[in-house]
Amino acid sequence: MKALLVLFFGLVGFAFASDPISGMDMIKSYSIAGGVIGLGIAALGGAIGMGHAAAATISGTARNPGIGGKLLTTMFIALALIEAQVIYTLVFAIIAIYANPFIG
């Protein structure tokens, strides 16, 4: 992880070392970076939430197999709600990248 972080920050200088960047290009580049980072964080959080939901459902079914069907239905509803939050973040990232409101 440390090597990836050092590599990322080491290559930032090369990314900005070309021609002088105008204000619009900076806004576009920050919008893309923000969209990608935000979507990555949302996907990570969604994956962690889905893992916890699945683990709790498996644990509940192992303790009481009679309510496995109800737990499975509830888990699928929870997974849909978790995934909806990630999809909302994807929509916001696409808006920030392609239909940027900060560019006049």
Side-chain angles (χ1 to χ4, degrees), residues 9-56:
F9 284 116
L11 294 177
V12 168
F14 290 114
F16 292 114
S18 64
D19 298 327
I21 298 175
S22 68
M24 289 297 198
D25 290 336
M26 269 315 238
I27 291 174
K28 288 179 186 177
S29 65
Y30 287 149
S31 296
I32 291 171
V36 168
I37 292 170
L39 188 58
I41 292 171
L44 177 69
I48 291 171
M50 287 181 184
H52 284 297

Side-chain angles (χ1 to χ4, degrees), residues 2-104:
K2 288 181 185 178
L4 185 65
L5 193 63
V6 168
L7 178 70
F8 175 73
F9 284 116
L11 294 177
V12 168
F14 290 114
F16 292 114
S18 64
D19 298 327
I21 298 175
S22 68
M24 289 297 198
D25 290 336
M26 269 315 238
I27 291 174
K28 288 179 186 177
S29 65
Y30 287 149
S31 296
I32 291 171
V36 168
I37 292 170
L39 188 58
I41 292 171
L44 177 69
I48 291 171
M50 287 181 184
H52 284 297
T57 302
I58 292 169
S59 174
T61 304
R63 289 179 186 201
N64 189 357
I67 61 167
K70 285 184 178 182
L71 288 176
L72 191 64
T73 304
T74 305
M75 182 191 74
F76 283 140
I77 292 170
L79 292 180
L81 293 173
I82 292 168
E83 190 63 32
Q85 292 177 348
V86 177
I87 292 171
Y88 292 151
T89 307
L90 174 65
V91 170
F92 289 143
I94 289 172
I95 289 171
I97 291 171
Y98 292 110
N100 198 334
F102 299 113
I103 297 175

